[in-house]
């Protein structure tokens, strides 16, 4: 037999079903009903919603095929255990977790902060671990890779996008709050934290990398996977390694992008060094790309100037950027003054040479 509270739920069936369909939490549904004068115990409301309205039941899903060997590599980021940083402080570190869709041969890379430079370093370490580059990288919407999430046209971080183009892989980020888009790597953060670092005395980030590398190869990599029923390391070596893109042979030179303003003295500052630009760009902001060797300036996508990279406090000057040979005067070039004196006769040139 049912009580009066159940009968009240039956009378309010349409109202309760409407709120549940609108993704309103059941605790909030009870508060809304009580606000209208219909007080129902939560236990009764929960039993009614489960038995009569299908509340809490999981929807049927479709198993997605693993795809071709060497194609997709899913990644995720999560917090781990505390360790000591460069200053001796105890703080938690993060890890990048790479999981091939087919073989599930995981790779773990510890980091302090989720920056684009750390993302590139993690990928470089992964290509070295796997001996090649996967064709497609499936990350979540971390800001170090994706600047603006979108199901169809996401905006990528330009530094990481340039890196992906140089290494030859495609970025295919998961949709926001859609864990099924990278299901092979979901719920591995806790597994890595508990099984890889649980109970370990992690001294520093370098020691964390050593622990993770041994765990990936000798423990997690040699444990038969519950779905594929194969040993991940052997599965990867026999099936996926040959299908990867060639591994990088040289370290990647991470560029730095900025938008400096050209001041009235014809110079723009990039990484605390000065670089000259033509007069017509004074007062405008240009796009600048700096790597370890060069600094390039762009105006609306068009290359306008290239300089050799200078250290902080340095200055790179092209005298042709200044009007009416004023750059030669600013650079104190006496040979140019002698050449002008020669136009007025040999005696004037000899006097200028002696004077200068």
């Amino acid at each position: 037999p049912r009580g009066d509270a159940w009968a009240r739920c039956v009378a309010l069936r349409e109202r309760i079903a409407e709120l549940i369909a609108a993704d309103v939490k059941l605790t909030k549904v009870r508060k809304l009903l009580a606000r209208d004068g219909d007080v129902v115990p939560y236990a009764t409301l929960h039993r009614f919603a489960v038995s009569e309205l299908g509340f809490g039941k999981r929807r049927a899903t479709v198993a997605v095929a693993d795809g071709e060997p060497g194609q997709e590599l899913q990644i995720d980021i999560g917090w781990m255990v505390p360790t000591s940083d460069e200053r001796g402080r105890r703080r938690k570190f993060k890890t990048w977790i790479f999981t091939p869709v087919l073989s599930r041969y995981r790779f773990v890379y510890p980091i302090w902060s989720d920056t684009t430079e750390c993302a590139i370093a993690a990928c470089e370490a992964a290509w070295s671990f796997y001996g090649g580059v996967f064709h497609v990288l499936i990350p979540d919407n971390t800001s170090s890779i994706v600047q603006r999430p979108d199901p169809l046209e996401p905006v990528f971080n330009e530094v990481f996008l340039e890196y992906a183009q140089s290494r030859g892989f495609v970025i295919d980020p998961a949709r926001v709050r859609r864990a099924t888009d990278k299901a092979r790597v979901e719920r591995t953060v806790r597994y890595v934290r508990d099984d890889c670092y649980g109970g370990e005395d992690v001294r520093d980030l370098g020691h964390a990398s050593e622990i993770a590398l041994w765990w990936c190869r000798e423990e997690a990599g040699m444990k038969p996977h519950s779905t594929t029923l194969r040993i991940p390391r052997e599965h990867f070596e026999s099936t996926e390694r040959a299908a990867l893109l060639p591994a990088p042979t040289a370290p990647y030179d991470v560029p730095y992008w900025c938008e400096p303003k050209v001041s009235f003295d014809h110079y723009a500052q990039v990484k605390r060094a000065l670089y000259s630009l033509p007069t017509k760009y004074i007062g405008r902001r240009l796009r600048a790309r700096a790597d370890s060797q060069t600094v390039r300036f762009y105006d609306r996508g068009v290359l306008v100037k290239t300089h050799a990279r200078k250290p902080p406090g340095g200055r790179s000057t092209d005298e042709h950027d200044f009007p009416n040979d004023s750059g030669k005067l600013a650079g104190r070039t006496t040979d140019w003054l002698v050449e002008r004196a020669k136009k007025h006769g040999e005696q004037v040139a000899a006097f200028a040479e002696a004077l200068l």
Side-chain angles (χ1 to χ4, degrees):
R2 304 291 186 179
D4 294 338
W6 185 275
R8 196 63 193 152
C9 290
V10 173
L12 299 171
R13 181 187 183 97
E14 293 185 3
R15 173 66 172 161
I16 298 172
E18 180 183 354
L19 292 173
I20 292 176
D23 291 332
V24 180
K25 288 188 175 182
L26 200 59
T27 54
K28 182 65 175 181
V29 172
R30 178 174 177 271
K31 292 180 181 179
L32 295 175
L33 295 178
R35 188 179 302 171
D36 296 335
D38 298 311
V39 179
V40 179
Y42 180 78
T44 304
L45 178 63
H46 186 272
R47 287 196 302 271
F48 176 80
V50 170
S51 62
E52 300 296 328
L53 302 177
F55 176 77
K57 292 184 179 179
R58 298 183 61 181
R59 295 181 299 174
T61 60
V62 177
V64 179
D66 291 335
E68 299 296 325
Q71 287 295 316
E72 296 182 359
L73 181 67
Q74 299 181 359
I75 60 176
D76 201 2
I77 307 173
W79 290 100
M80 296 292 119
V81 298
T83 187
S84 300
D85 61 7
E86 299 84 354
R87 300 181 181 179
R89 300 174 300 179
R90 298 291 293 179
R91 51 183 290 202
K92 289 184 178 181
F93 62 92
K94 292 183 176 181
T95 58
W96 282 72
I97 304 172
F98 297 80
T99 304
V101 172
L102 184 63
S103 64
R104 274 75 157 187
Y105 185 33
R106 293 188 180 92
F107 173 67
V108 176
Y109 185 82
I111 57 172
W112 283 125
S113 57
D114 182 18
T115 63
T116 303
E117 291 75 12
C118 290
I120 293 175
C123 290
E124 290 288 277
W127 310 146
S128 177
F129 177 81
Y130 291 118
V133 179
F134 282 79
H135 294 260
V136 181
L137 191 69
I138 304 178
D140 57 6
N141 290 278
T142 173
S143 59
S144 60
I145 297 178
V146 182
Q147 288 185 343
R148 189 179 72 233
D150 188 87
L152 299 179
E153 297 181 355
V155 178
F156 298 113
N157 180 290
E158 58 186 348
V159 175
F160 194 87
L161 179 60
E162 184 179 351
Y163 168 72
Q165 293 170 345
S166 68
R167 294 308 191 213
F169 64 87
V170 176
I171 311 171
D172 185 16
R175 292 169 295 174
V176 178
R177 292 186 294 275
R178 292 294 187 272
T180 54
D181 287 357
K182 50 183 182 66
R184 304 300 189 275
V185 78
E186 284 297 322
R187 300 184 179 180
T188 57
V189 172
R190 182 175 180 179
Y191 173 56
V192 172
R193 182 175 60 245
D194 295 342
D195 197 69
C196 179
Y197 292 110
E200 300 285 349
D201 183 18
V202 184
R203 297 188 298 271
D204 51 35
L205 202 64
H207 188 215
S209 298
E210 296 176 1
I211 295 174
L213 188 61
W214 186 87
W215 179 82
C216 292
R217 288 177 174 171
E218 306 300 334
E219 289 193 355
M222 299 303 293
K223 179 182 178 181
H225 195 272
S226 59
T227 302
T228 64
L229 302 181
R230 298 184 61 176
I231 297 177
R233 182 174 174 180
E234 296 179 355
H235 192 184
F236 171 79
E237 294 289 347
S238 62
T239 306
E240 289 204 279
R241 181 185 287 275
L244 299 180
L245 298 172
T249 57
Y252 183 72
D253 190 359
V254 180
Y256 171 77
W257 286 87
C258 61
E259 295 186 2
K261 186 176 182 179
V262 184
S263 62
F264 287 99
D265 61 359
H266 292 78
Y267 286 96
Q269 185 180 113
V270 178
K271 283 290 188 178
R272 303 181 65 184
L274 298 177
Y275 302 90
S276 67
L277 288 155
T279 306
K280 67 178 182 179
Y281 297 109
I282 287 179
R284 295 172 56 181
R285 287 194 177 274
L286 303 179
R287 291 286 291 162
R289 180 192 183 277
D291 54 33
S292 61
Q293 302 297 325
T294 61
V295 177
R296 297 182 176 91
F297 292 89
Y298 298 88
D299 181 27
R300 299 176 184 177
V302 178
L303 179 65
V304 298
K305 199 71 179 179
T306 301
H307 285 277
R309 179 74 182 271
K310 296 295 182 181
R315 184 190 299 259
S316 178
T317 303
D318 183 356
E319 60 185 24
H320 298 95
D321 291 335
F322 300 88
N324 302 323
D325 296 324
S326 59
K328 297 178 181 179
L329 287 172
R332 305 190 181 193
T333 305
T334 58
D335 294 340
W336 175 72
L337 295 174
V338 173
E339 290 298 326
R340 293 193 63 182
K342 288 181 179 180
K343 298 179 181 179
H344 299 277
E346 295 182 1
Q347 297 300 327
V348 176
F351 174 77
E353 291 178 353
L355 177 65
L356 294 173

